[in-house]
Amino acid sequence: MTYRLGIVMDPIESISVYKDSSFAMLLAAQARGWSLYYMQPGDLYVNDGRALASTQRISVTDDTEHWVDYTGSETLPLGSLDAILMRKDPPFDMEYIYATYILQLAERQGALVVNRPQALRDANEKFFTAWFPDCCAPTLITRSSTQVREFLQRHGQLILKPLDGMGGESVFKVDTADSNFNVIMESLSRHGTRFVIAQRYIPEIAQGDKRILLIDGEPVPYALARIPGPGDHRGNLAAGGTGKGVALTARDQAICRQVGPVLKQMGLVFVGLDVIGDFLTEINVTSPTCIRELDSLYQLDIAGTLIECIEQKLSSAG
């Protein structure tokens, strides 16, 4: 059966084809004969309670020089699409939230939205780890500089970061002798008006920050360990880290068994867990990456597995 797939993402002209997970999903869907409808958040709108969008029909080619062709434009009810991939990168701001409201209407009006809009709002990528304390290193979420300093005294070294960042942005490592502690907290918390997450520093970051991909709660058997560059504490590829493929450990599998069923129940079909050493540090639900890197390393077809999962959901719903 031919399905109609919409995708909401950042400008497709600006992607890095060789590593873009959204593009991998488009390739996989097209290979199965699906029709592709491309949108940016500004193309979404609501008229008298109906979720609509100005879409562009596209075809894609796995070519780093010329990867997308526009084959027509169409304004249509979002509910007329079979499935919609919400792949807009953070920031997770009010504009992002408004977009999820529109997509939630589209869901009510007939489309399968991946990931589910309500779940995108409920599962902040850093905060949601608090639902799984047994999987995490000691963690504090607060606006209080005093509380963070006391937490630092107990644990010696911390990672401090905002709740709305991505790609390693504004991630600080501090210790008890750090003379910049006050200014870091002032900057991150905006003088106590915004929440900050503090996590005990995990020295196993030297072996990599593992990105584990889950499809409908089930993990891909390999992870991409993102290893910090010289003199850095961040493994994010966007911050200069390098990727190394690794098999999941028994501890990784145990974390997935605890977290996966909850994600599946919430309608979070495609998720990236970040694990350092034995500890879960983030649950990425907005636009997790690393499909193409893992496919290349292990001859996988992760996006194909995802599209097959979506097909099964559409078939059972129909």
Side-chain angles (χ1 to χ4, degrees):
M1 180 175 179
T2 298
Y3 292 107
R4 304 207 303 170
L5 177 70
I7 187 166
V8 182
M9 60 185 288
D10 291 304
I12 195 169
E13 300 90 347
S14 304
I15 65 173
S16 297
V17 171
Y18 71 96
K19 65 176 183 177
D20 193 275
S21 292
S22 300
F23 188 73
M25 296 174 192
L26 292 173
L27 286 170
Q30 181 176 267
R32 285 157 177 78
W34 291 31
S35 301
L36 306 180
Y37 294 80
Y38 162 71
M39 297 160 275
Q40 295 186 55
D43 296 320
L44 311 178
Y45 66 102
V46 176
N47 190 344
D48 289 335
R50 296 178 72 213
L52 303 115
S54 302
T55 73
Q56 296 185 71
R57 288 283 304 274
I58 60 171
S59 62
V60 289
T61 307
D62 198 3
D63 183 338
T64 57
E65 297 298 324
H66 182 83
W67 56 88
V68 62
D69 286 295
Y70 299 94
T71 59
S73 60
E74 185 177 353
T75 297
L76 48 75
L78 287 170
S80 70
L81 295 171
D82 295 292
I84 302 171
L85 299 172
M86 177 48 160
R87 292 286 300 174
K88 171 71 177 71
D89 284 342
F92 191 94
D93 54 14
M94 285 307 301
E95 289 300 311
Y96 189 102
I97 289 173
Y98 297 147
T100 68
Y101 291 150
I102 298 174
L103 292 173
Q104 191 166 1
L105 277 176
E107 184 180 57
R108 291 183 63 187
Q109 293 162 7
L112 172 66
V113 182
V114 176
N115 285 318
R116 191 174 185 184
Q118 177 68 54
L120 289 174
R121 297 194 297 271
D122 287 348
N124 175 273
E125 302 193 324
K126 296 174 176 61
F127 210 128
F128 195 50
T129 58
W131 271 245
F132 309 97
D134 293 344
C135 298
C136 302
T139 302
L140 173 69
I141 301 172
T142 182
R143 293 182 177 186
S144 168
S145 179
T146 300
Q147 290 179 6
V148 175
R149 187 176 287 280
E150 291 171 352
F151 192 67
L152 175 59
Q153 292 299 323
R154 286 201 299 276
H155 296 291
Q157 291 182 313
L158 300 178
I159 292 294
L160 301 177
K161 51 191 175 182
L163 289 169
D164 60 353
M166 67 170 290
E169 179 183 358
S170 300
V171 176
F172 294 90
K173 176 186 174 187
V174 298
D175 59 35
T176 54
D178 198 325
S179 61
N180 290 311
F181 174 83
N182 287 336
V183 70
I184 290 170
M185 277 302 301
E186 289 169 5
S187 175
L188 288 179
S189 73
R190 296 187 184 174
H191 297 273
T193 63
R194 298 189 68 185
F195 286 99
V196 170
I197 183 168
Q199 296 168 324
R200 188 187 71 191
Y201 176 69
I202 306 168
E204 287 83 359
I205 184 61
Q207 284 78 55
D209 179 354
K210 288 177 284 188
R211 167 60 55 84
I212 301 172
L213 297 178
L214 283 79
I215 297 174
D216 215 23
E218 295 297 325
V220 173
Y222 302 96
L224 191 72
R226 297 159 298 169
I227 301 169
D232 206 336
H233 58 273
R234 302 167 299 169
N236 310 75
L237 301 181
T242 57
K244 175 185 176 182
V246 294
L248 299 193
T249 66
R251 172 61 174 172
D252 296 335
Q253 295 280 4
I255 290 172
C256 293
R257 285 194 298 271
Q258 185 166 347
V259 178
V262 177
L263 301 176
K264 180 176 181 177
Q265 184 177 31
M266 293 175 68
L268 292 165
V269 177
F270 186 68
V271 176
L273 304 184
D274 288 349
V275 175
I276 302 174
D278 288 336
F279 300 106
L280 175 68
T281 61
E282 292 190 16
I283 301 173
N284 296 273
V285 301
T286 52
S287 56
T289 62
C290 297
I291 284 179
R292 305 217 78 183
E293 293 91 338
L294 287 169
D295 279 355
S296 177
L297 286 166
Y298 296 106
Q299 290 72 58
L300 303 174
D301 182 16
I302 296 169
T305 302
L306 173 63
I307 297 301
E308 288 173 7
C309 174
I310 294 172
E311 283 182 338
Q312 291 170 8
K313 291 180 180 295
L314 292 172
S315 177
S316 61

